[in-house]
């Protein structure tokens, strides 16, 4: 993203949104995205949709380990401890 | 291994403490290690083998490798990075053996992929070229129950399942399991830039699936 436009349009914002959220944009490019967001409610909604998507995907997190896997791993740990 | 070791500052204090307990044979410490990393390991394994069942076998095998190496682990990388590399290597070997290997090249983002259908923006040459024809919906106005209901989660699960393997792995590691970008890069041996492209495509596709679900 080396090229610096004077402004970015919506189609460019949707391609930069992950770099923007990951804080991976050059400061000049991040400033262009922010300038755009100050003027465009559509892109504000889009960025919010991406944030909501990330949050919703995060709800799939589950620390549970299948019972049979857990049992056989514990057995392996006990074996290992005895060697 | 361009990225390996660049960001990893070694085992954390918590990991070193856990390591001491593991070496002392503390079962609770092992159980906690397993539940912390199991989901991430499964995501990594599924990059290289096709079915969930085989991925589970790979994870089991990787844990045996972890136990075998535990006494020699020196803490120069984080414990997590070390474990994820073991599972990645185990899965690659298994993938090759089964002749179902995901070729390395496919961990690189392929071709071009628009985050949003180009038809949703004004066409080049029009007065507002590249601007939304119609604004995307404001999801803040959706009733909270819709965002949280089972059906919505099922849409997300299905959308992630339908992703190309590399995209699925990256979104699972980052957004489901909470890994850092560095951890993903080191486990999969991809560059920061490619990791971000894969994450971007994956998130964009899941967003599109949610949009279709909400807009009907």
């Amino acid at each position: 993203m080396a090229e610096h436009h004077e402004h970015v349009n919506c189609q460019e914002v949707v391609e930069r949104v992950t770099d923007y959220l990951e804080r991976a944009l050059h400061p000049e490019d991040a400033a262009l995205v922010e300038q755009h967001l100050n003027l465009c409610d559509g892109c504000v909604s889009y960025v919010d949709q991406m944030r909501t998507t990330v949050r919703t995907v995060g709800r799939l997190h589950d620390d549970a380990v299948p019972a049979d896997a857990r049992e056989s791993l514990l057995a392996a740990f006990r074996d290992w401890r005895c060697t | 291994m361009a990225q390996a070791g660049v960001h990893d500052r070694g085992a954390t204090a918590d990991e070193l403490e856990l390591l001491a307990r593991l070496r002392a044979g503390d079962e609770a410490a092992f159980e906690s290690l397993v539940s912390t990393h199991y989901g991430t390991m499964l995501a990594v394994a599924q990059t290289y083998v096709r079915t969930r069942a085989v991925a589970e076998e790979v994870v089991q095998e990787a844990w045996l490798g972890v136990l075998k190496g535990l006494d020699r682990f020196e803490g120069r990388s984080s414990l997590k990075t070390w474990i994820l590399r073991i599972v990645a290597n185990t899965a690659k070997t298994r993938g090759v053996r089964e002749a179902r290997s995901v070729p390395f090249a496919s961990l690189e983002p392929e071709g071009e992929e628009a985050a949003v259908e180009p038809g949703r923006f004004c066409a080049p040459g029009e007065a507002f070229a590249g601007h939304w024809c119609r604004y995307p919906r404001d999801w803040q106005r959706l009733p909270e129950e819709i965002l949280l209901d089972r059906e919505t989660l099922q849409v997300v699960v299905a959308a992630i399942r339908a992703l190309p393997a590399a995209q699925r792995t990256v979104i699972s590691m980052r957004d489901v399991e909470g890994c850092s970008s560095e951890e993903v890069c080191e486990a999969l041996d991809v560059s920061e830039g490619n990791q971000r492209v894969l994450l971007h495509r994956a998130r964009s596709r899941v967003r599109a699936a949610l949009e279709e679900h909400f807009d009907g």
Side-chain angles (χ1 to χ4, degrees), chain B residues 41-198:
Chain B
M41 292 170 79
L42 213 48
V44 171
Q46 283 180 289
T47 318
Y48 304 99
V49 298
R50 215 159 271 177
T51 66
R52 159 112 187 181
V54 175
E56 282 179 3
E57 285 172 29
V58 164
V59 171
Q60 292 285 324
E61 198 183 326
W63 276 112
L64 300 183
V66 167
L67 288 175
K68 212 187 252 174
L70 211 48
D71 282 329
R72 281 176 285 117
F73 174 72
E74 287 172 345
R76 273 187 294 209
S77 68
S78 78
L79 185 59
K80 181 174 183 179
T81 293
W82 179 67
I83 290 173
L84 295 183
R85 285 202 196 127
I86 291 177
V87 73
N89 287 330
T90 308
K92 280 182 205 167
T93 307
R94 180 67 180 260
V96 169
R97 207 160 62 218
E98 297 201 322
R100 281 177 174 173
S101 164
V102 177
F104 179 77
S106 73
L107 281 189
E108 310 280 316
E110 285 170 14
E112 296 281 315
E113 199 175 306
V116 174
E117 243 181 88
R120 305 225 356 224
F121 303 97
C122 301
E126 285 177 27
F128 292 97
H131 288 259
W132 295 105
C133 303
R134 196 160 46 89
Y135 280 175
R137 190 156 158 197
D138 179 2
W139 288 2
Q140 302 272 356
R141 292 181 184 197
L142 288 171
E144 187 73 7
E145 310 88 75
I146 292 187
L147 278 172
L148 299 176
D149 74 9
R150 267 176 74 108
E151 228 183 295
T152 300
L153 273 196
Q154 278 162 1
V155 167
V156 173
V157 168
I160 291 176
R161 237 177 240 158
L163 294 172
Q167 290 184 23
R168 191 184 58 226
T169 303
V170 172
I171 198 172
S172 301
M173 291 181 77
R174 290 291 313 277
D175 294 341
V176 181
E177 303 297 338
C179 293
S180 68
S181 57
E182 290 86 355
E183 285 164 348
V184 175
C185 291
E186 291 189 7
L188 304 179
D189 204 12
V190 295
S191 68
E192 286 275 350
N194 283 344
Q195 185 267 156
R196 266 199 318 278
V197 172
L198 292 167

Side-chain angles (χ1 to χ4, degrees), chain A residues 7-37:
Chain A
H7 62 89
V8 287
N9 64 32
C10 308
Q11 207 166 3
E12 290 165 328
V13 168
V14 304
E15 292 304 342
R16 292 180 190 197
V17 63
T18 303
D19 287 346
Y20 175 67
L21 294 176
E22 295 277 288
R23 299 179 192 285
L25 288 177
H26 293 293
E28 300 89 343
D29 289 326
L32 288 177
V33 169
E34 267 154 20
Q35 264 171 38
H36 181 99
L37 291 175

